[in-house]
Amino acid sequence: MEQFQMIRYLDENGNLLNSEISKALSLDFIKELYERLTLVRAFDRKAISLQRQGRLGTYAPFEGQEAAQVGSALALQPNDWLFPTYRDHAASITFGHSLKTILLYWNGRLEGCVPPEGKKIFPPAVPIATQLLHATGAAMAEKRKGTNNAAIVYFGDGATSEGDFHEGLNFASVFKAPVVFFNQNNQFAISVPIEKQMNSETIAQKSVAYSIPGIRIDGNDIFAVYFETKKAIERARRGEGPTLIEAVTWRYGAHTTADDPSKYRDQNNSEKRRENGDPIIRLERYMKNEGIWDEEWKEEIVSKAGKTIEKAIEEMESFPEPNIDDLFAHVFAEPTWTIKDQRDQYYEFLRGVNQ
């Protein structure tokens, strides 16, 4: 639609298309972006490797979507809220979550849902779109308390087919909640391409029904992601209500490590997209165009990222064994007879296994 044209600040060849942001692009900021992108991609690849080795449970990769997550999370202030899906570990890491904790989450540990002290990071939402209502509620609460805090909530294209998506946008619109709805349109809801799940030309246009601003950005352009998200967050802080952002991107690999994307799409297309639109390559090309690229520096940050990740893995694997009683202790304030019965049966099963 003409109203929702793609916003892009940086083209595939690393050419700056929006000169207005030049003053804001300090060398330190650009290097920070590249270093963060490098860290989260290395983390994602290592997590897949750990899963294949049996050292991690089923895992949801995000490679290809790094700019959408890093750029948007960097636009937040420390007291804001972040509501991720099961694929938004890069956003959570950028906002201050520890790598060790995220690895614990993917090993099925309760502790993996707990953010660092003082950080408002919700546990990853596995049910589709439920987190939009949580984010709207948190934003409404901040508004009632008179704070200057805002919320960002992540969701995929498939989530826009859920009722919770519409309920979240409607409530946020009516009450002018300070929340940014950040859609990562990676164009597949597991195996279902976007054209088979909706008849709308864009996701951004769905904002019209709720009389809120909606924009469509190149999700692989970290400059566009950061600056447009920052505008939306600042608008929310001013009391002007929510914004719907559609960040058009692509996941190179599988939906999860239990999925085979070659069953439902041509993976050669992913490799072509990597050559033409990869978010890290695009930023690297920009740095080369500007004469600020340093190969030695790149090697240093790649090495640093590797050490950081290995330390987190060591911490995760040396974490105390889980307490089996945790499975039963947090269902009711006081365990019912049914819970007690299930616990007894499980312990009896374990005794049989260990004999």
Side-chain angles (χ1 to χ4, degrees):
M1 294 180 68
E2 189 173 337
Q3 183 182 349
F4 298 99
Q5 294 296 310
M6 183 87 73
I7 297 172
R8 182 175 287 158
Y9 286 34
L10 196 64
D11 70 16
E12 291 88 345
N13 296 314
N15 299 310
L16 192 63
L17 304 176
N18 187 333
S19 59
E20 294 179 6
I21 65 167
S22 297
K23 292 181 180 179
L25 296 176
S26 68
L27 179 59
D28 286 345
F29 177 63
I30 294 165
K31 282 189 167 184
E32 179 186 4
L33 293 179
Y34 193 90
E35 187 166 357
R36 288 183 179 277
L37 292 172
T38 299
L39 172 64
V40 297
R41 176 163 293 184
F43 174 85
D44 190 58
R45 291 178 174 179
K46 188 65 176 182
I48 295 171
S49 175
L50 291 172
Q51 191 279 331
R52 298 307 191 210
Q53 296 171 49
R55 297 162 67 189
L56 210 62
T58 300
Y59 173 79
F62 58 78
E63 183 167 349
Q65 300 181 211
E66 296 93 344
Q69 295 186 31
V70 171
S72 56
L74 269 180
L76 301 174
Q77 292 296 319
N79 289 326
D80 290 335
W81 289 82
L82 187 144
F83 291 79
T85 73
Y86 49 81
R87 198 183 306 284
D88 299 312
H89 343 312
S92 295
I93 291 168
T94 302
F95 195 50
H97 226 323
S98 75
L99 275 63
K100 176 198 76 175
T101 305
I102 292 173
L103 290 170
L104 283 171
Y105 174 84
W106 289 105
N107 247 345
R109 297 298 297 267
L110 177 69
E111 296 85 353
C113 294
V114 182
E117 187 67 31
K119 297 302 292 187
K120 300 171 185 173
I121 304 175
F122 223 60
V126 177
I128 305 302
T130 54
Q131 72 276 15
L132 277 76
L133 294 170
H134 300 149
T136 298
M140 289 169 64
E142 294 287 1
K143 183 178 180 180
R144 285 179 67 90
K145 289 189 291 185
T147 75
N148 194 36
N149 303 330
I152 189 168
V153 56
Y154 296 90
F155 56 101
D157 42 295
T160 65
S161 297
E162 296 281 349
D164 287 353
F165 166 79
H166 300 280
E167 292 159 10
L169 265 66
N170 189 53
F171 261 86
S173 171
V174 170
F175 294 101
K176 289 192 177 297
V179 56
V180 173
F181 296 99
F182 194 90
N183 168 251
Q184 289 175 88
N185 178 5
N186 67 19
Q187 303 170 61
F188 275 86
I190 309 182
S191 60
V192 181
I194 191 166
E195 63 270 14
K196 289 190 176 180
Q197 66 159 307
M198 71 180 201
N199 197 39
S200 305
E201 194 172 324
T202 70
I203 288 171
Q205 72 193 70
K206 296 177 187 289
S207 62
V208 174
Y210 304 101
S211 292
I212 65 174
I215 61 171
R216 196 167 195 249
I217 63 176
D218 183 340
N220 287 4
D221 172 358
I222 197 164
F223 292 166
V225 173
Y226 173 78
F227 287 106
E228 291 299 322
T229 304
K230 192 170 185 184
K231 287 179 189 176
I233 290 286
E234 289 172 352
R235 179 178 178 276
R237 292 194 207 287
R238 292 195 300 268
E240 297 175 25
T243 301
L244 173 60
I245 297 177
E246 176 189 358
V248 181
T249 183
W250 185 266
R251 62 170 164 85
Y252 292 137
H255 174 71
T256 71
T257 49
D259 170 48
D260 179 2
S262 67
K263 299 289 186 183
Y264 53 83
R265 70 183 192 188
D266 183 358
Q267 280 300 94
N268 289 326
N269 189 24
S270 283
E271 292 311 308
K272 290 176 183 176
R273 287 173 180 269
R274 188 186 295 274
E275 293 172 11
N276 299 324
D278 183 82
I280 298 180
I281 293 175
R282 187 183 301 196
L283 184 57
E284 183 175 318
R285 287 171 177 166
Y286 168 78
M287 295 174 76
K288 288 177 178 176
N289 291 345
E290 295 295 309
I292 56 175
W293 180 251
D294 184 338
E295 195 68 35
E296 189 174 317
W297 168 77
K298 178 189 174 181
E299 292 175 5
E300 288 174 3
I301 65 168
V302 168
S303 175
K304 179 183 173 183
K307 291 174 182 176
T308 300
I309 294 164
E310 289 301 328
K311 184 174 182 292
I313 294 168
E314 183 180 334
E315 291 173 345
M316 180 268 290
E317 295 190 322
S318 62
F319 205 75
E321 289 294 315
N323 185 347
I324 295 172
D325 283 335
D326 288 346
L327 288 169
F328 310 98
H330 302 293
V331 184
F332 296 100
E334 295 293 332
T336 63
W337 70 267
T338 55
I339 296 297
K340 291 177 180 177
D341 189 45
Q342 290 172 28
R343 182 185 60 198
D344 292 344
Q345 287 182 39
Y346 188 66
Y347 274 109
E348 185 177 343
F349 165 77
L350 288 180
R351 283 193 292 271
V353 169
N354 295 325
Q355 284 179 355

